[in-house]
Amino acid sequence: MCRHLAYLGPPIPLSRLLFEPAHSLCHQSWAPRDMRGGGTINADGFGAGWFTPAGPVRYRRDTPMWSDTTLPALAASVTAGAVLAAVRSATAGMPVTESAAAPFGAGPWLFSHNGQVVGWPRSIAKLAAALPVEDLLVLEAPTDSALLWALVHDQLRTGVPAASAVANVLASVSLVAPESRLNLLLTDGSTVVATTAGHSLSVRRSDDFVLIASEPLDDDPAWRQVPDRTLLVADSEKLTLTPLGET
Ligand code: GLN
């Protein structure tokens, strides 16, 4: 399955997340350590999203991160205090296109999904049918992850707080498609919401930053594993971990 990360803190070059650490996101694209049976490498595209005063900007491709010749210089020169990035291992049967690579997004939001909706597409068809038709017509890609984003976005725009929107979608999808792997990641550049449901996630927090990633980027002992079935909410002030189901 995919690997993803989110960073909130003082502005840093994207390369500090994507390339420089020993187990950077790029390293995780070809040598992930904890895929839990969900694929072997993450070579089916990638995306990086970062927040600017004008809102989030995304750079996505349908090729392996390690093969992109533009990204290293871009990542070294772009500095941001809020970042969401992902590398993709496409689930069998799902297309390998730029638009299927996270981050998905709209307005101030960036979103990523690491996992798989079991029984796709039939299992989730009823939930999809409850969305406005316009949303389905402009779905970024015919994939489970893009539909999960549409479901989360539907809640956000009706004013549901981010953590509840993510928890609600996870609960309703788990009901119709049990055993689905639903590690979700959402940020508006000031808060990060993440879930663990079937895949690995770790968090590293210091006085001035928080970094959440499928796998630790380095050997720093400050990394802490997030238990399975947890809702994580982080901002510049605090980090909370709540067991899913108690949300
Ligand atoms: N199922 C999603 C996709 O195909 C996410 C895959 C993943 O986590 N590897 O894009």
Side-chain angles (χ1 to χ4, degrees):
M1 298 291 126
C2 313
R3 306 285 82 179
H4 56 203
L5 64 77
Y7 169 85
L8 290 180
I12 55 168
L14 303 189
S15 50
R16 290 261 297 276
L17 305 168
L18 305 186
F19 293 111
E20 288 170 28
H23 197 47
S24 67
L25 192 63
C26 187
H27 193 260
Q28 292 180 34
S29 69
W30 57 272
R33 293 180 181 139
D34 193 5
M35 296 284 276
R36 306 195 177 177
T40 45
I41 59 167
N42 300 289
D44 299 322
F46 67 89
W50 60 96
F51 287 79
T52 74
V57 174
R58 292 183 286 167
Y59 178 77
R60 300 184 293 168
R61 289 293 179 260
D62 62 1
T63 48
M65 185 181 268
W66 69 79
S67 72
D68 190 277
T69 54
T70 302
L71 188 62
L74 184 72
S77 60
V78 170
T79 294
V83 179
L84 190 155
V87 290
R88 179 171 183 237
S89 168
T91 297
M94 296 192 190
V96 176
T97 57
E98 181 179 312
S99 59
F104 301 97
W109 301 103
L110 293 177
F111 174 85
S112 170
H113 163 230
N114 164 209
Q116 180 178 6
V117 172
V118 169
W120 167 267
R122 180 166 299 201
S123 59
I124 202 172
K126 278 205 177 109
L127 293 180
L131 287 171
V133 173
E134 288 84 354
D135 288 3
L136 298 173
L137 292 174
V138 298
L139 207 61
E140 288 206 54
T143 64
D144 52 359
S145 304
L147 182 69
L148 290 169
W149 163 236
L151 293 169
V152 170
H153 184 229
D154 184 50
Q155 301 235 344
L156 293 171
R157 78 178 150 210
T158 60
V160 177
S164 306
V166 167
N168 291 346
V169 168
L170 191 144
S172 54
V173 173
S174 299
L175 219 54
V176 296
E179 311 301 322
S180 291
R181 294 182 176 199
L182 299 169
N183 278 36
L184 309 178
L185 189 58
L186 174 73
T187 184
D188 61 357
S190 50
T191 300
V192 175
V193 178
T195 59
T196 50
H199 271 295
S200 60
L201 194 73
S202 290
V203 59
R204 186 181 159 189
R205 185 176 164 74
S206 79
D207 287 344
D208 64 347
F209 76 85
V210 61
L211 182 52
I212 294 138
S214 300
E215 300 182 11
L217 271 57
D218 53 40
D219 291 334
D220 195 293
W223 284 101
R224 175 175 160 202
Q225 274 198 20
V226 180
D228 197 37
R229 301 210 66 82
T230 296
L231 178 74
L232 176 156
V233 181
D235 60 22
S236 56
E237 314 266 277
K238 64 177 194 298
L239 169 71
T240 57
L241 304 184
T242 314
L244 280 165
E246 293 174 20
T247 49

